[in-house]
Amino acid sequence: PGLVRLLKSFLGRRYEVECAGDGNEALRKIGARHYDIIISDLHLQGMSGMAVFREALRGDGTIKGRYLFMTGDLSPEYKPFFELNDLPCLYKPFSLEEIDDRIRRILHP
């Protein structure tokens, strides 16, 4: 929750930001409207970030290029998921400048 508040405050200065309380809410929101970028942790309440991504991808094949993951979990089991889906991931801790740079690269390739 603290990281969500920090990111919302920081990113909200330049972007319209919406947050979801858990994976199920995130999936409902993603299905209800278009987002230019989706930032997700791997570990969410109710549904994992990977499961949210897979379900969202079924509904919108273009979502892959608009996704950014973040995680503090450096388990090697996640690396193939990121590589197979060509998904960027920020590993915690990261700086606000790093997330800002990643967002700009996604929005303006």
Side-chain angles (χ1 to χ4, degrees):
L3 180 57
V4 171
R5 284 192 303 275
L6 173 66
L7 291 176
K8 184 173 183 175
S9 174
F10 175 73
L11 298 173
R13 296 178 196 156
R14 282 174 295 226
Y15 309 104
E16 180 183 341
V17 177
E18 277 193 45
C19 300
D22 60 41
N24 292 310
E25 181 183 359
L27 190 56
R28 283 192 305 276
K29 286 184 172 200
I30 292 168
R33 68 173 280 202
H34 173 86
Y35 292 94
D36 292 330
I37 188 167
I38 298 161
I39 302 171
S40 177
D41 202 308
L42 272 179
H43 301 289
L44 304 172
Q45 295 288 330
M47 180 184 291
S48 75
M50 291 189 311
V52 170
F53 171 78
R54 287 182 184 120
E55 287 296 316
L57 187 61
R58 286 183 209 175
D60 179 359
T62 69
I63 210 163
K64 185 188 285 191
R66 297 182 279 125
Y67 233 90
L68 172 61
F69 276 97
M70 60 182 177
T71 188
D73 189 339
L74 300 176
S75 301
E77 67 194 68
Y78 300 117
K79 189 175 180 178
F81 169 76
F82 295 127
E83 289 174 353
L84 177 68
N85 292 289
D86 193 28
L87 293 167
C89 182
L90 283 172
Y91 293 94
K92 298 174 193 171
F94 53 81
S95 70
L96 293 175
E97 290 78 19
E98 286 176 290
I99 195 163
D100 192 43
D101 179 61
R102 288 292 181 107
I103 289 170
R104 278 183 286 158
R105 286 194 271 162
I106 290 169
L107 294 176
H108 309 288

mmCIF file of all heavy atoms in Angstrom, residues 10-31:
data_model
loop_
_atom_site.group_PDB
_atom_site.id
_atom_site.type_symbol
_atom_site.label_atom_id
_atom_site.label_comp_id
_atom_site.label_asym_id
_atom_site.label_seq_id
_atom_site.Cartn_x
_atom_site.Cartn_y
_atom_site.Cartn_z
ATOM 1 N N PHE A 10 3.433 10.333 -7.245
ATOM 2 C CA PHE A 10 4.493 10.716 -8.180
ATOM 3 C C PHE A 10 3.984 10.731 -9.621
ATOM 4 O O PHE A 10 4.148 11.717 -10.335
ATOM 5 C CB PHE A 10 5.684 9.758 -8.036
ATOM 6 C CG PHE A 10 6.779 9.999 -9.038
ATOM 7 C CD1 PHE A 10 7.604 11.111 -8.920
ATOM 8 C CD2 PHE A 10 6.988 9.115 -10.079
ATOM 9 C CE1 PHE A 10 8.623 11.337 -9.847
ATOM 10 C CE2 PHE A 10 7.998 9.332 -11.002
ATOM 11 C CZ PHE A 10 8.823 10.439 -10.881
ATOM 12 N N LEU A 11 3.359 9.648 -10.041
ATOM 13 C CA LEU A 11 2.902 9.546 -11.430
ATOM 14 C C LEU A 11 1.676 10.407 -11.702
ATOM 15 O O LEU A 11 1.451 10.849 -12.828
ATOM 16 C CB LEU A 11 2.615 8.084 -11.781
ATOM 17 C CG LEU A 11 3.825 7.150 -11.699
ATOM 18 C CD1 LEU A 11 3.400 5.709 -11.901
ATOM 19 C CD2 LEU A 11 4.894 7.566 -12.695
ATOM 20 N N GLY A 12 0.880 10.648 -10.670
ATOM 21 C CA GLY A 12 -0.328 11.452 -10.823
ATOM 22 C C GLY A 12 -0.051 12.898 -11.190
ATOM 23 O O GLY A 12 -0.951 13.612 -11.640
ATOM 24 N N ARG A 13 1.179 13.334 -11.044
ATOM 25 C CA ARG A 13 1.548 14.698 -11.456
ATOM 26 C C ARG A 13 1.535 14.858 -12.975
ATOM 27 O O ARG A 13 1.367 15.964 -13.472
ATOM 28 C CB ARG A 13 2.931 15.055 -10.933
ATOM 29 C CG ARG A 13 3.002 15.105 -9.430
ATOM 30 C CD ARG A 13 4.401 15.402 -8.975
ATOM 31 N NE ARG A 13 4.518 15.083 -7.556
ATOM 32 C CZ ARG A 13 5.645 14.795 -6.962
ATOM 33 N NH1 ARG A 13 6.777 14.812 -7.643
ATOM 34 N NH2 ARG A 13 5.674 14.509 -5.681
ATOM 35 N N ARG A 14 1.764 13.737 -13.688
ATOM 36 C CA ARG A 14 1.845 13.795 -15.148
ATOM 37 C C ARG A 14 0.818 12.946 -15.866
ATOM 38 O O ARG A 14 0.574 13.125 -17.053
ATOM 39 C CB ARG A 14 3.233 13.340 -15.602
ATOM 40 C CG ARG A 14 4.275 14.397 -15.415
ATOM 41 C CD ARG A 14 5.595 13.814 -15.739
ATOM 42 N NE ARG A 14 5.831 12.781 -14.724
ATOM 43 C CZ ARG A 14 6.959 12.630 -14.073
ATOM 44 N NH1 ARG A 14 7.973 13.355 -14.361
ATOM 45 N NH2 ARG A 14 7.093 11.730 -13.138
ATOM 46 N N TYR A 15 0.265 11.975 -15.161
ATOM 47 C CA TYR A 15 -0.640 11.020 -15.795
ATOM 48 C C TYR A 15 -1.913 10.866 -14.976
ATOM 49 O O TYR A 15 -1.920 11.113 -13.776
ATOM 50 C CB TYR A 15 0.026 9.633 -15.908
ATOM 51 C CG TYR A 15 1.398 9.638 -16.525
ATOM 52 C CD1 TYR A 15 2.540 9.500 -15.737
ATOM 53 C CD2 TYR A 15 1.554 9.778 -17.901
ATOM 54 C CE1 TYR A 15 3.808 9.489 -16.308
ATOM 55 C CE2 TYR A 15 2.823 9.775 -18.474
ATOM 56 C CZ TYR A 15 3.946 9.626 -17.674
ATOM 57 O OH TYR A 15 5.194 9.623 -18.242
ATOM 58 N N GLU A 16 -2.956 10.390 -15.646
ATOM 59 C CA GLU A 16 -4.156 9.974 -14.924
ATOM 60 C C GLU A 16 -3.854 8.577 -14.387
ATOM 61 O O GLU A 16 -3.473 7.691 -15.148
ATOM 62 C CB GLU A 16 -5.351 9.928 -15.877
ATOM 63 C CG GLU A 16 -6.626 9.499 -15.216
ATOM 64 C CD GLU A 16 -7.773 9.389 -16.199
ATOM 65 O OE1 GLU A 16 -7.703 9.960 -17.288
ATOM 66 O OE2 GLU A 16 -8.741 8.689 -15.855
ATOM 67 N N VAL A 17 -4.015 8.392 -13.095
ATOM 68 C CA VAL A 17 -3.631 7.135 -12.451
ATOM 69 C C VAL A 17 -4.842 6.525 -11.761
ATOM 70 O O VAL A 17 -5.561 7.200 -11.028
ATOM 71 C CB VAL A 17 -2.508 7.365 -11.410
ATOM 72 C CG1 VAL A 17 -2.169 6.071 -10.685
ATOM 73 C CG2 VAL A 17 -1.276 7.966 -12.073
ATOM 74 N N GLU A 18 -5.059 5.242 -11.996
ATOM 75 C CA GLU A 18 -6.068 4.458 -11.270
ATOM 76 C C GLU A 18 -5.359 3.310 -10.586
ATOM 77 O O GLU A 18 -4.394 2.765 -11.126
ATOM 78 C CB GLU A 18 -7.103 3.881 -12.240
ATOM 79 C CG GLU A 18 -8.191 4.828 -12.598
ATOM 80 C CD GLU A 18 -9.338 4.115 -13.299
ATOM 81 O OE1 GLU A 18 -9.770 3.031 -12.841
ATOM 82 O OE2 GLU A 18 -9.781 4.652 -14.309
ATOM 83 N N CYS A 19 -5.848 2.924 -9.453
ATOM 84 C CA CYS A 19 -5.258 1.812 -8.704
ATOM 85 C C CYS A 19 -6.312 0.742 -8.459
ATOM 86 O O CYS A 19 -7.502 1.028 -8.413
ATOM 87 C CB CYS A 19 -4.708 2.303 -7.367
ATOM 88 S SG CYS A 19 -3.428 3.548 -7.526
ATOM 89 N N ALA A 20 -5.841 -0.475 -8.293
ATOM 90 C CA ALA A 20 -6.714 -1.596 -7.959
ATOM 91 C C ALA A 20 -6.230 -2.201 -6.651
ATOM 92 O O ALA A 20 -5.025 -2.288 -6.408
ATOM 93 C CB ALA A 20 -6.696 -2.638 -9.067
ATOM 94 N N GLY A 21 -7.163 -2.621 -5.824
ATOM 95 C CA GLY A 21 -6.828 -3.176 -4.524
ATOM 96 C C GLY A 21 -6.356 -4.617 -4.558
ATOM 97 O O GLY A 21 -5.705 -5.086 -3.637
ATOM 98 N N ASP A 22 -6.678 -5.335 -5.635
ATOM 99 C CA ASP A 22 -6.266 -6.735 -5.752
ATOM 100 C C ASP A 22 -6.307 -7.150 -7.218
ATOM 101 O O ASP A 22 -6.723 -6.381 -8.089
ATOM 102 C CB ASP A 22 -7.139 -7.651 -4.887
ATOM 103 C CG ASP A 22 -8.608 -7.607 -5.251
ATOM 104 O OD1 ASP A 22 -8.961 -7.585 -6.447
ATOM 105 O OD2 ASP A 22 -9.438 -7.614 -4.321
ATOM 106 N N GLY A 23 -5.875 -8.359 -7.491
ATOM 107 C CA GLY A 23 -5.815 -8.857 -8.862
ATOM 108 C C GLY A 23 -7.166 -8.927 -9.544
ATOM 109 O O GLY A 23 -7.288 -8.613 -10.736
ATOM 110 N N ASN A 24 -8.198 -9.327 -8.818
ATOM 111 C CA ASN A 24 -9.529 -9.423 -9.420
ATOM 112 C C ASN A 24 -10.059 -8.044 -9.825
ATOM 113 O O ASN A 24 -10.624 -7.879 -10.904
ATOM 114 C CB ASN A 24 -10.501 -10.114 -8.456
ATOM 115 C CG ASN A 24 -10.146 -11.563 -8.259
ATOM 116 O OD1 ASN A 24 -9.954 -12.302 -9.222
ATOM 117 N ND2 ASN A 24 -10.025 -11.984 -7.017
ATOM 118 N N GLU A 25 -9.856 -7.057 -8.967
ATOM 119 C CA GLU A 25 -10.280 -5.700 -9.297
ATOM 120 C C GLU A 25 -9.483 -5.170 -10.489
ATOM 121 O O GLU A 25 -10.030 -4.509 -11.376
ATOM 122 C CB GLU A 25 -10.106 -4.770 -8.092
ATOM 123 C CG GLU A 25 -10.554 -3.352 -8.367
ATOM 124 C CD GLU A 25 -10.312 -2.397 -7.204
ATOM 125 O OE1 GLU A 25 -9.803 -2.818 -6.146
ATOM 126 O OE2 GLU A 25 -10.636 -1.208 -7.380
ATOM 127 N N ALA A 26 -8.196 -5.466 -10.522
ATOM 128 C CA ALA A 26 -7.362 -5.032 -11.647
ATOM 129 C C ALA A 26 -7.890 -5.607 -12.954
ATOM 130 O O ALA A 26 -8.031 -4.891 -13.951
ATOM 131 C CB ALA A 26 -5.913 -5.464 -11.422
ATOM 132 N N LEU A 27 -8.215 -6.880 -12.969
ATOM 133 C CA LEU A 27 -8.713 -7.519 -14.180
ATOM 134 C C LEU A 27 -10.049 -6.907 -14.611
ATOM 135 O O LEU A 27 -10.281 -6.672 -15.799
ATOM 136 C CB LEU A 27 -8.848 -9.028 -13.966
ATOM 137 C CG LEU A 27 -9.123 -9.858 -15.204
ATOM 138 C CD1 LEU A 27 -8.062 -9.628 -16.280
ATOM 139 C CD2 LEU A 27 -9.192 -11.323 -14.844
ATOM 140 N N ARG A 28 -10.923 -6.625 -13.660
ATOM 141 C CA ARG A 28 -12.207 -5.978 -13.995
ATOM 142 C C ARG A 28 -11.968 -4.603 -14.620
ATOM 143 O O ARG A 28 -12.591 -4.247 -15.622
ATOM 144 C CB ARG A 28 -13.085 -5.842 -12.751
ATOM 145 C CG ARG A 28 -13.766 -7.120 -12.328
ATOM 146 C CD ARG A 28 -14.847 -6.887 -11.284
ATOM 147 N NE ARG A 28 -14.393 -6.181 -10.095
ATOM 148 C CZ ARG A 28 -13.798 -6.750 -9.049
ATOM 149 N NH1 ARG A 28 -13.581 -8.046 -9.042
ATOM 150 N NH2 ARG A 28 -13.438 -6.032 -8.006
ATOM 151 N N LYS A 29 -11.056 -3.838 -14.042
ATOM 152 C CA LYS A 29 -10.770 -2.501 -14.568
ATOM 153 C C LYS A 29 -10.151 -2.580 -15.960
ATOM 154 O O LYS A 29 -10.516 -1.813 -16.856
ATOM 155 C CB LYS A 29 -9.844 -1.734 -13.616
ATOM 156 C CG LYS A 29 -10.546 -1.254 -12.371
ATOM 157 C CD LYS A 29 -9.620 -0.419 -11.512
ATOM 158 C CE LYS A 29 -10.412 0.201 -10.382
ATOM 159 N NZ LYS A 29 -9.737 1.347 -9.796
ATOM 160 N N ILE A 30 -9.219 -3.493 -16.145
ATOM 161 C CA ILE A 30 -8.573 -3.652 -17.450
ATOM 162 C C ILE A 30 -9.602 -4.042 -18.511
ATOM 163 O O ILE A 30 -9.539 -3.583 -19.647
ATOM 164 C CB ILE A 30 -7.434 -4.694 -17.374
ATOM 165 C CG1 ILE A 30 -6.283 -4.158 -16.513
ATOM 166 C CG2 ILE A 30 -6.941 -5.065 -18.769
ATOM 167 C CD1 ILE A 30 -5.256 -5.200 -16.131
ATOM 168 N N GLY A 31 -10.560 -4.867 -18.145
ATOM 169 C CA GLY A 31 -11.595 -5.281 -19.085
ATOM 170 C C GLY A 31 -12.608 -4.198 -19.398
ATOM 171 O O GLY A 31 -13.290 -4.242 -20.424
#
